Structures are given as structure tokens and as C-alpha cells.
Amino acid sequence: MPHFLTTQDAGFEAAFTALLGMKREDSPDVDATVAAIIADVRARGDAAVIELTAKFDRLELTPETLAFTAAEIAAEVAKVSAEDRAALELAATRIRAYHARQMPEDQMWQEDNGAQLGWRWTPVSAAGLYVPGGLASYPSSVLMNAIPAKVAGVARLAIACPTPGGVVNPLVLLAAQIAGVDVIYRIGGAQAIAALAYGTDSIAAVDKITGPGNAFVAAAKRRVFGKVGIDMIAGPSEILVIADGDTDPDWVALDLLSQAEHDESAQSILITPDAAYARTVTAAVEKRLETLERRAIAGASWRDFGAVIVTRDLEEAAALSNRVAPEHLELCVADPDALSARITHAGAIFLGGWTPEAIGDYVGGPNHVLPTARSARFSSGLSVMDFLKRTTLAKMTPEALAAIGPAAERLAISESLEAHGLSVRARLNRLNGTH
Amino acid sequence: MPHFLTTQDAGFEAAFTALLGMKREDSPDVDATVAAIIADVRARGDAAVIELTAKFDRLELTPETLAFTAAEIAAEVAKVSAEDRAALELAATRIRAYHARQMPEDQMWQEDNGAQLGWRWTPVSAAGLYVPGGLASYPSSVLMNAIPAKVAGVARLAIACPTPGGVVNPLVLLAAQIAGVDVIYRIGGAQAIAALAYGTDSIAAVDKITGPGNAFVAAAKRRVFGKVGIDMIAGPSEILVIADGDTDPDWVALDLLSQAEHDESAQSILITPDAAYARTVTAAVEKRLETLERRAIAGASWRDFGAVIVTRDLEEAAALSNRVAPEHLELCVADPDALSARITHAGAIFLGGWTPEAIGDYVGGPNHVLPTARSARFSSGLSVMDFLKRTTLAKMTPEALAAIGPAAERLAISESLEAHGLSVRARLNRLNGTH
């Protein structure tokens, strides 16, 4: 049974705070191991990557076979059914269209004194996308990471994807091909992150690394941060559904389970002002858990971290949701737009009962890489912005410098930065004819 | 003498690579100390903060005196001269105007099938700005951190600024007042970062922490990252000047020294195709170093990390600059706009000889918190975006779900995520009348 709370109960605030503070993930401390692997890859390059791949992935590589060849990719991709290909292509088209709208504009404007100010956006030169091997090797994540990079204009896009025992998911290769990825390395773990960050003889270094991974990958990303850019360190998935009671309880049950089935540490929360509906949805979840393929995982998640909260009204539901700051928020209510206006923190909002969260995972268009663990309070999902950076621009005229230079000089002196002040004063002196 | 390189020399590539890889900063390993301080503040709250402030800042506080009162701020601010106040206000006005233009727009559009997609920006609820005490307590940095937060719409803005021995910089308090900061705590170090991230009885937790600090502050920011958002971990300052030889050598010398005077680890680089000019500027630097107040610091920086590079032409200069990815880039050339178009990586560009970098530090308008240590390859300076986050929005219609739902279901099945597929299928069945 999930946690069942009612806001009118005396113990509610304590129970809700406990729910918010719940530690869902045990991060094994792999930092020392990861530090050693990174040092080894920096020191020995290809040789270290090849040895570590033999050890961890039971795969013998050479510098020549680190990357898939075009023929190898073509052979794997040929195994994909026409239906699966069409679905991936529809997803790619929609994701591309959504992210194209995110491209920010350059600006440059002129002030009355002739000064020009503005900024300019440029893409990172090269990006590396990590794609886990095995069960969590999701072609949809390839699209969600690679397409924003391509839209941003990244010139070189590399994937690192371990292939334990040589086994690869053809859909991952197809997704990479559709997204326009340039090279796919059959390497994984901390060694792959180190190779992408520092480069080896056969693997060119990149400037930004994104994508999910296990504890070793996460620790390696933290360690190379600064040398390269990284995206967020994602935690287990979460969904919060606010429902007024008019959406089919089975639909909501399936939406809750679609997060729970990801991971035993995932969290699914239902908030509703309708106590009877809360019980109906809970029963529908139990019913679906009897037959669901991943019922062991989904059942553990729902039992340990699931929660059903009955509120006085929808306004109170929105306020609680804002304290959770969920990764995914479904508003299964009659007027989702009005309720959405009350939401201040959420990674993605799905408006109305006809918008299951799973649409956003695949074909909706928005990115499915979203802030977890309450980080929607201060961060955003993956976007083209993650592959761009802004250069600010300033161009003074003599008139502009005469107008604002003295204030700069004064502040420089107040901060005891004499050369700063002199660099302005020397120019002002020229204008004044004193020098 | 700085490093002197000529691209036509045989050893150039090796020397330039060494320059790029040069380690300028020794980061003391304070992580264990910082971890203990954070744990202490989490466990004991105010009491820990007060004890640590007594120990490190020789200042006895109580929960009531942790923050400056309005009367205390007014008394300090009254000490500021009218000229300094006017300079700060001019800076604030210009910084506010520049950053107001950065506010991104919300978007929502409708597809032919009735689906609506878009996103919405919301500010973080509360931000904490760290302001170092002592020599590096810069009022300009208060403006550069606080104003973007206010423009973004952050409701609560707190400053933590240590006041060793009780000494405070009145200009810092005035800058905070001008920028609209809500509360100023007289605390510093890792204990201040811990208090802002986790909260205590007297200090409310924030969602985002920005601002520069020493090694303890930097280590603490790294540790609380995830619990709250942080800005970049800034390294020592850098300037790169590309000059064609027509800008007064003394101006360029002062611009180079205005970074060098910050810190012995700062780096100033001149790139020019004019070898004679390179020597003239070098001589001008030496001349200024004879009398500069901070000549010990600036001299050490110039000697250890300064570089003068003579290139074949300006195109080669731009290409080298892109490999450096400097924090500040001055283009002291006849056609700075044309050269700027060749620049792919730089935190801020100052166009033409009338735009000394120091203008950007104070009154230009753009932010002076910029990516250091080559991180302009993948990151940007501080902006309103650092205090905003994006929530993606999706609203399907039955028609839209009928059109794209089957592809989502297919991809869910291919990823063995049955509940994802069922959450779509249950709705499609309703449309098909099969359920």
C-alpha cells in the first residue's frame, strides 16, 4: 500500500514533510574507483579504454573497432521493423520541431551615445552523449539528447554506448542515425566519460557530455565537470497527478504505474480532493499490478514511495505539488489551464486527461530529460540551450566612454583596482586632450 | 617576462599547448573540513553558524544579530560619498536595462490536430548571494549577482557576507540596497553556504546560490549542488587582447594589467600580427608595473602566466583565441565586427580600442560573472536565465492522441515499458469504442 495522507488530519504536515525528505536512492560510493579509472584513461588513452572494456563489458576491442563502422550500423539498422522505424521517425520529427522553437535570438542594440550592446549565441563545438547498455538502453533517450544538440548546431556529435558481450540494441543505432550522430563508440562506464572528456588517440575530446548512466557514469560526470560541461545528474523518475475525479481511474492508475515501472526508486503521487476517487484509483493500481510485466519493480516503487493525498480542494493540491516540484505533473482536471497557472515548480506539465505522461516520453515534442529530486525548483529539462553558450558584446564610442567612463573609474578606485581605473582614465585623457 | 611565442617558430604548437594546459590554481583540499562544517550546520543550525563565525571571523553573534537591521544598514550606507553612490546607481541602472532584455518569452502554439505545446518560465522562489569579506568584497559583484535575480522575479533575495572582526564595506550594503536585496547575513565560509542551502531557525533556505568565494566556499557550493542550484565555480580571471597595432600600447598594457592585478593566478594574453607592437606593449606593461599599487600581484601574474603571441595575421589570432576560449576578449582592431564574426568561444567580447574591459566590470551593462578556465567552450556568463527555469507544456486532444498515440505505444513496447504503452492504449480504446 502506498502512503495515504489527508490534509485535514492532524499529523499531515509531519507526514508530508517526511514524504518530501524521503531518501529514495542509495548512491554507492564509487568515487575512488572512478577517480582511478579517469586517471588511467588520461595516462594510457586507448589502451586503458580497451582493457577496461574487456574487463567490464567482456568485449575485446582494438583502436580500429572502438567505433561502429558504417557497414556495422547499416547491418544492425536493417533488423528494425518498418513500424518501429516509422514510430522513431515520427518522434524525431516532432522533437526536432519543438526544439527548433527554442533557438534563442542574437541581439545588438545602440544607445543614444552610440554605444552598442548585445549578445550572441554559439553552439559548443562537439558533444558526447552517453547511452546506457542493457535494459535501460532507450532509443527515445538518444533522440531526446541528440536532436537538441543538432538543432543547436553542434558540429560533431559522438555517442558512447557499452555493448556488454557485444550485444547492441538496433533501435539505438537507428535513433542515432536518424538524429544525425557522427560516431558511436562501443564503450561505457567511467572509462567512456573519461575518454570523451580528455580524448585518446582514437577518440576525440568533446566539450559537453549529456545523458543518463549508472553510479559510475554519474560519478565520472561529476569529476570531469569543469573540464567539459555536463547536463544534470538525474535521479529516479517521478510523477505527480492532480485529479478532480472525472478522469477514468484506470487511466490515472496506468499513468502512476508508468513511472513506477521504471525503477524501484521511482515515485508516483496522486493528489485529489475526492477521497472516494483516491480509493478507486488505488484499487485500479492494485488491479493492474496483478498482471503488469514489470509488476515486481512497479509494485515495490508504489509500496515504498507511492503516495495518495486527499486535499480540501484543487488549490491546496497545487500548493502541495509546488512543494514537491515534481519532474512530471499531470493535471487531470476540468480546467487544466487555470490550475496550471497556479503551478510554480514542475519539470513538465501534462494538461488534461487526454495527455498521458507517456506521450511526453516519446512523441509529444518536449524533452523527456527533466529535473528530478525536487530540482525543478531551480532547474529545467534538457533543451537546445544546453548546447549553446552566450557571448556578451559591448562596443563603446568616445562619446559613450566620456559619459559612463568616470563612474567606472570611480568604482574601480573604490575597489582598490587601480589598473582598472587607469585603463579608463588613459582613454578619457585622450578625449580631454590631457594626454 | 611573460611567455613570448611566434606562430612561425618551430616549437610554437608545443609551447601554445603547454600554455593552454598550464595549471594556474592550486586548490587546497578542504573537502573534508567543508563536509564536517555542512554536517554541523545541518545538525545544530544557528548554534553551529554562530560558533563557526566566532571561530573564523572573530565575531560574536546571536540569532537576533545574524542579519543586519535596517538601522544598521542605514548607518553604514550614510558613510558613502555622493559620488560613489551616483556611480553605483548608474551601474545598477545600466545592468538592469541590459538584463531586462534577457527575459525569455513563454510560448504556446497549436497544431493542426488541436494539440497544444509550449513552455513557460518561472523564477526560483529564493536566491542566496555569497559576497566575500575583506579585500575581495566588491560592490560591483553584488550588483552583477543581485540584479539579474531581481529582473528574473526572484521573490526573496538574501546575501551572506562575512564581516571579519565586525568590519563591513558600506558600499556592499549600499549595492545590496540599490539592487533590492531583502536580507544580509554577517556570515561567511562553508557555514554560510550550508545555512543558505539547508536553512536554520533564523536563516530561511534558498533554492539557488550564486557568487564568488574562497576554496571553502567553492567546495561547499559543490557539495550542496543538487539540494540547491549553484552558478559556476569561477577560477582566476583572464583577458585576451587581439590588437592590430593601431591602439595606444599604453591602453592595451593597462587592459592586460587590469586582469593581472586581480590575482597572481590571473592570466593576460596579447595576440598581434605586429611583432614590433608586441614589444612596445610589453615595454609599456613593464613601465606601468614600476608604479602600479598592486604591482607585486600584477607583476607575478604577468611574469608567470602572461603571454605575448605574434601571428601571421588576424585570422590566425582569432583561431588561437578560440582555442583559449577566454573569459574576456578585447578586439583592438580597425574592424572589430568583422573579427568578432570569427570568434566562436569567448565569455565577453569588447569591440574596438574605446572599449576597455574595465567598462564591462562596472557600468557597461553585461554581466561581469563570466566563464573562466576555458569553460567559455561550453558555458555562459551569469544572466537572468540562472534565476529562471522552464516548465514544458503539452495538451493533447482526442484527435491528437489518435494521430501520435500509436507511435508512442509502439516505442514503449520496444523499450519493454508496458505501463507506458497501456496508458496510451487505454485512451485509444475509448476513442475506438473498444472499451
Side-chain angles (χ1 to χ4, degrees):
Chain A
M1 280 294 292
H3 305 264
F4 203 100
L5 314 179
T6 301
T7 56
Q8 309 231 34
D9 284 355
F12 173 76
E13 183 56 34
F16 185 72
T17 304
L19 188 74
L20 283 183
M22 205 177 250
K23 190 166 162 53
R24 289 188 282 136
E25 215 182 6
D26 273 329
S27 314
D29 188 3
V30 299
D31 203 47
T33 309
V34 164
I37 289 174
I38 293 174
D40 192 20
V41 172
R42 288 186 70 175
R44 297 195 300 128
D46 284 344
V49 172
I50 287 168
E51 277 179 38
L52 290 161
T53 303
K55 179 176 169 187
F56 293 120
D57 296 339
R58 307 172 310 284
L59 183 69
E60 298 294 337
L61 295 174
T62 65
E64 292 71 33
T65 58
L66 277 169
F68 283 90
T69 63
E72 287 167 337
I73 293 171
E76 289 293 333
V77 158
K79 300 176 186 169
V80 177
S81 72
E83 291 80 3
D84 280 351
R85 175 188 280 272
L88 266 185
E89 283 174 347
L90 175 70
T93 301
R94 293 184 58 87
I95 296 164
R96 201 175 289 120
Y98 182 92
H99 287 79
R101 291 184 181 248
Q102 291 181 330
M103 278 298 283
E105 285 184 10
D106 296 345
Q107 286 209 36
M108 196 81 180
W109 61 92
Q110 186 158 351
E111 303 189 318
D112 292 343
N113 57 31
Q116 290 179 58
L117 295 171
W119 61 78
R120 202 176 64 188
W121 294 92
T122 46
V124 302
S125 297
L129 314 180
Y130 190 85
V131 180
L135 258 189
S137 187
Y138 295 140
S140 58
S141 291
V142 173
L143 299 182
M144 292 290 180
N145 279 273
I147 290 175
K150 289 301 281 190
V151 169
V154 174
R156 187 166 58 81
L157 211 52
I159 277 182
C161 179
T163 59
V167 178
V168 63
N169 179 349
L171 279 166
V172 162
L173 299 189
L174 177 58
Q177 196 176 68
I178 290 171
V181 170
D182 298 290
V183 58
I184 305 169
Y185 301 108
R186 3 174 170 241
I187 59 174
Q191 60 274 20
I193 302 297
L196 289 173
Y198 290 97
T200 68
D201 285 345
S202 303
I203 299 169
V206 301
D207 301 301
K208 177 105 186 186
I209 299 176
T210 70
N214 62 17
F216 291 87
V217 170
K221 280 169 70 180
R222 274 188 193 275
R223 281 208 162 252
V224 301
F225 173 56
K227 167 69 183 168
V228 299
I230 63 167
D231 62 342
M232 68 200 78
I233 306 284
S237 194
E238 308 145 7
I239 189 170
L240 192 153
V241 180
I242 299 179
D244 58 12
D246 280 344
T247 303
D248 188 328
D250 185 49
W251 296 5
V252 171
L254 286 166
D255 297 349
L256 293 167
L257 288 170
S258 71
Q259 294 311 300
E261 75 175 344
H262 268 296
D263 188 337
E264 293 184 2
S265 307
Q267 182 166 51
S268 305
I269 300 175
L270 169 66
I271 307 186
T272 176
D274 184 335
Y277 183 76
R279 286 187 295 273
T280 315
V281 172
T282 307
V285 169
E286 297 300 334
K287 176 88 183 150
R288 285 287 187 177
L289 274 174
E290 290 170 12
T291 55
L292 202 66
E293 283 165 15
R294 297 170 74 112
R295 56 187 173 272
I297 293 170
S301 159
W302 181 240
R303 180 189 67 229
D304 294 342
F305 304 115
V308 177
I309 303 174
V310 178
T311 55
R312 290 177 185 81
D313 50 34
L314 289 176
E315 287 68 25
E316 192 178 47
L320 292 180
S321 176
N322 286 336
R323 289 176 64 188
V324 174
E327 181 190 14
H328 304 100
L329 173 61
E330 280 190 11
L331 302 180
C332 294
V333 298
D335 188 352
D337 296 302
L339 193 59
S340 173
R342 294 179 176 270
I343 301 300
T344 52
H345 310 307
I349 300 179
F350 302 86
L351 297 148
W354 287 100
T355 317
E357 184 278 328
I359 282 291
D361 282 337
Y362 295 112
V363 296
N367 212 287
H368 78 196
V369 181
L370 292 164
T372 57
R374 309 190 57 218
S375 63
R377 291 177 297 120
F378 54 81
S379 63
S380 311
L382 200 70
S383 76
V384 296
M385 308 297 278
D386 290 281
F387 299 97
L388 295 168
K389 62 267 184 334
R390 183 195 331 95
T391 299
T392 60
L393 304 170
K395 186 181 189 178
M396 294 293 121
T397 56
E399 297 69 30
L401 200 68
I404 67 174
E409 182 188 23
R410 179 135 211 128
L411 291 170
I413 291 167
S414 82
E415 294 184 353
S416 302
L417 294 171
E418 186 193 15
H420 285 67
L422 288 173
S423 74
V424 176
R425 173 51 49 193
R427 287 159 166 101
L428 293 176
N429 284 345
R430 168 85 58 89
L431 289 177
N432 300 337
T434 45
H435 209 70
Chain B
M1 280 297 289
H3 305 263
F4 203 101
L5 314 179
T6 300
T7 56
Q8 310 233 32
D9 284 355
F12 174 77
E13 183 56 34
F16 185 71
T17 304
L19 188 72
L20 283 183
M22 205 177 250
K23 188 167 163 54
R24 288 189 282 136
E25 215 181 7
D26 272 329
S27 314
D29 188 2
V30 299
D31 203 46
T33 309
V34 164
I37 290 174
I38 294 174
D40 192 21
V41 172
R42 288 185 70 176
R44 297 195 302 128
D46 283 345
V49 172
I50 288 169
E51 277 179 37
L52 291 161
T53 303
K55 180 177 169 188
F56 293 120
D57 296 339
R58 308 172 309 285
L59 184 68
E60 298 295 336
L61 295 175
T62 65
E64 292 69 35
T65 59
L66 277 168
F68 283 90
T69 64
E72 286 168 337
I73 293 171
E76 289 294 332
V77 159
K79 299 176 186 167
V80 177
S81 73
E83 291 80 3
D84 279 353
R85 174 187 280 272
L88 266 185
E89 283 174 347
L90 175 70
T93 301
R94 293 183 59 85
I95 296 164
R96 200 175 290 120
Y98 183 92
H99 287 78
R101 291 184 179 247
Q102 291 179 332
M103 278 299 283
E105 285 184 11
D106 296 345
Q107 285 209 38
M108 195 81 181
W109 61 93
Q110 187 159 351
E111 302 189 318
D112 291 343
N113 56 29
Q116 290 178 57
L117 295 171
W119 61 78
R120 202 177 64 187
W121 293 92
T122 46
V124 301
S125 298
L129 314 181
Y130 191 85
V131 180
L135 258 189
S137 185
Y138 295 140
S140 58
S141 291
V142 173
L143 300 181
M144 292 292 181
N145 279 273
I147 291 175
K150 290 300 282 190
V151 170
V154 175
R156 186 166 58 81
L157 211 53
I159 278 181
C161 179
T163 59
V167 177
V168 62
N169 180 350
L171 279 166
V172 162
L173 299 189
L174 178 58
Q177 196 176 68
I178 290 171
V181 170
D182 297 290
V183 57
I184 305 169
Y185 301 108
R186 355 172 178 253
I187 59 175
Q191 59 274 21
I193 302 298
L196 289 172
Y198 290 97
T200 69
D201 285 344
S202 304
I203 298 169
V206 301
D207 301 301
K208 176 104 186 186
I209 299 177
T210 70
N214 62 17
F216 291 87
V217 171
K221 282 170 67 181
R222 275 190 192 273
R223 281 211 160 249
V224 301
F225 173 56
K227 166 68 182 167
V228 299
I230 63 167
D231 61 343
M232 68 200 77
I233 306 283
S237 194
E238 309 146 6
I239 189 170
L240 192 154
V241 180
I242 300 179
D244 59 12
D246 279 344
T247 303
D248 188 326
D250 185 49
W251 296 5
V252 171
L254 286 166
D255 297 350
L256 295 168
L257 287 170
S258 71
Q259 294 311 301
E261 74 174 344
H262 268 296
D263 189 339
E264 292 184 3
S265 306
Q267 183 166 51
S268 305
I269 300 175
L270 169 66
I271 307 185
T272 176
D274 183 336
Y277 183 75
R279 286 187 295 272
T280 314
V281 172
T282 307
V285 169
E286 298 299 335
K287 176 86 183 152
R288 286 288 188 176
L289 275 173
E290 290 171 11
T291 56
L292 202 65
E293 284 165 14
R294 298 170 73 111
R295 57 186 172 273
I297 293 171
S301 158
W302 180 241
R303 179 190 66 229
D304 293 341
F305 303 115
V308 176
I309 303 173
V310 178
T311 56
R312 289 177 186 80
D313 50 34
L314 289 177
E315 287 68 27
E316 192 177 47
L320 292 179
S321 176
N322 287 336
R323 290 176 65 188
V324 174
E327 180 189 14
H328 305 100
L329 172 61
E330 279 190 12
L331 302 180
C332 295
V333 298
D335 188 352
D337 296 302
L339 193 58
S340 174
R342 294 178 175 270
I343 301 300
T344 52
H345 310 308
I349 301 180
F350 302 86
L351 297 148
W354 286 101
T355 317
E357 184 279 330
I359 283 291
D361 282 337
Y362 297 111
V363 297
N367 211 286
H368 78 197
V369 181
L370 293 164
T372 57
R374 308 190 58 217
S375 64
R377 291 177 297 119
F378 54 81
S379 63
S380 311
L382 199 70
S383 77
V384 297
M385 309 296 278
D386 289 281
F387 300 96
L388 296 168
K389 61 266 184 337
R390 184 195 330 94
T391 299
T392 60
L393 304 169
K395 186 181 189 179
M396 293 293 121
T397 57
E399 296 70 29
L401 199 68
I404 67 175
E409 183 188 22
R410 178 134 211 127
L411 291 170
I413 292 167
S414 82
E415 294 184 355
S416 301
L417 294 171
E418 187 194 16
H420 284 68
L422 288 173
S423 74
V424 176
R425 174 50 50 193
R427 288 160 166 99
L428 293 177
N429 284 345
R430 169 83 58 87
L431 289 178
N432 300 338
T434 44
H435 208 72

